[in-house]
Amino acid sequence: GLKGGFFDWTLSLDERVEALAKQATLAEQIDQLQNNVPAIVRLGISSYNWLNDDEHGVHQHHATSFPNGCALGAMWDKKVMYEVGQAVGQEARITYNNNVDRGNRGKGQNGAGITMYAPNMNLVRDPRWGRAQEVYSEDPTLSGYLTYYFVHGSQVGNESDPKYMQAAACCKHYAAYDVESNPIDRFHFSATVDSRNMWETYMPVFRSCVQSGQAAHVMCSYNAINGVPTCGDPKLLNGILRDQWKWPGFVVSDYDAWAQIYETHNYCPNMTCAAAVGLNAGMDQEGGGTKAIAQLQAAIDSHMTTEEDVTTAFKR
């Protein structure tokens, strides 16, 4: 029967995840560390697309489209921001439930799931960025408050249920990310940030999202900080998020940013090294393609990382 297994709804979430991890093979676990995950047919686990760009509305033609980030920020209104988050979260949940009822789990379809890549809460540091319209403001305190209320509204919904989340918010892009292509493209850029600027300017918004808002996941950014790619920085991921802020969620890379530890930042001599560096730093899911996770078995065989680290990422 179902009792005691991962389909036993009377168990806690941690107990169910632990039961699933014990039955999934290492290859199956690695396969799940991506956006567009395949089904594990023998275990009855359906496919799912984790990528849903729902920054100011669900990424579907039928959904409500709210004003963009800078317009929401210009309201200076945390109550309305809570209501916006609540509406986006509800529509994400309704869209997903309706699709599932029709036998469609949204595989390969952006905007069909309940894991939202929202909010985008980076700061406007230079008007030449080109993406200032996506974010709330240039002020860490204002952006932090608005971020918290969007996250709380989208995840909690009308009723607070400690067992079930309405939708899952994502704090992006972590961190010191505000360059598109000038003076250098974002895939090669390394932000030079001293400790004071890091903690007084860039981190307060993420603290509001992660520690206060308890967002389900964090997206590490394309850039490096002081020479270390954010998606391969153990101090930034495991150190601050998990050890310091005691956050239990999972980390996803921006599109192919895990692979770019090797490809653009040249922080590693090959992709096998990049796979290990990302996983050991605290990465859990490869956004975009699968070039990094495809090398995790080789990284384990080379003793650069471990099966236990893969299982930890899988369970998150």
Side-chain angles (χ1 to χ4, degrees), residues 136-201:
Y136 302 137
S137 80
E138 61 186 357
D139 182 74
T141 301
L142 173 62
S143 292
Y145 270 108
L146 297 180
T147 292
Y148 168 80
Y149 283 97
F150 180 92
V151 169
H152 190 58
S154 62
Q155 294 195 155
V156 174
N158 288 320
E159 299 180 10
S160 179
D161 188 330
K163 192 170 184 178
Y164 299 107
M165 191 179 287
Q166 174 176 260
C170 176
C171 312
K172 70 176 194 180
H173 310 83
Y174 184 67
Y177 177 76
D178 52 17
V179 166
E180 191 74 10
S181 57
N182 183 27
I184 186 174
D185 70 78
R186 56 186 174 162
F187 311 114
H188 295 84
F189 178 67
S190 179
T192 301
V193 187
D194 62 30
S195 181
R196 180 171 182 177
N197 267 311
M198 192 69 177
W199 287 100
E200 292 185 1
T201 302

Side-chain angles (χ1 to χ4, degrees), residues 248-270:
F250 71 93
V251 177
V252 58
S253 73
D254 205 340
Y255 212 95
D256 291 333
W258 189 345
Q260 287 168 0
I261 293 173
Y262 160 61
E263 289 182 331
T264 60
H265 291 291
N266 298 312
Y267 191 72
C268 274
N270 52 55

Side-chain angles (χ1 to χ4, degrees), residues 286-305:
E286 183 172 8
T290 60
K291 288 181 284 189
I293 65 166
Q295 295 300 315
L296 282 175
Q297 182 63 66
I300 292 168
D301 294 342
S302 301
H303 307 290
M304 300 167 76
T305 192

Side-chain angles (χ1 to χ4, degrees), residues 73-93:
M75 295 187 305
W76 293 69
D77 194 324
K78 58 190 181 184
K79 179 178 181 295
V80 173
M81 186 60 89
Y82 175 84
E83 292 170 349
V84 169
Q86 186 179 61
V88 176
Q90 285 174 348
E91 292 188 9
R93 171 60 70 173

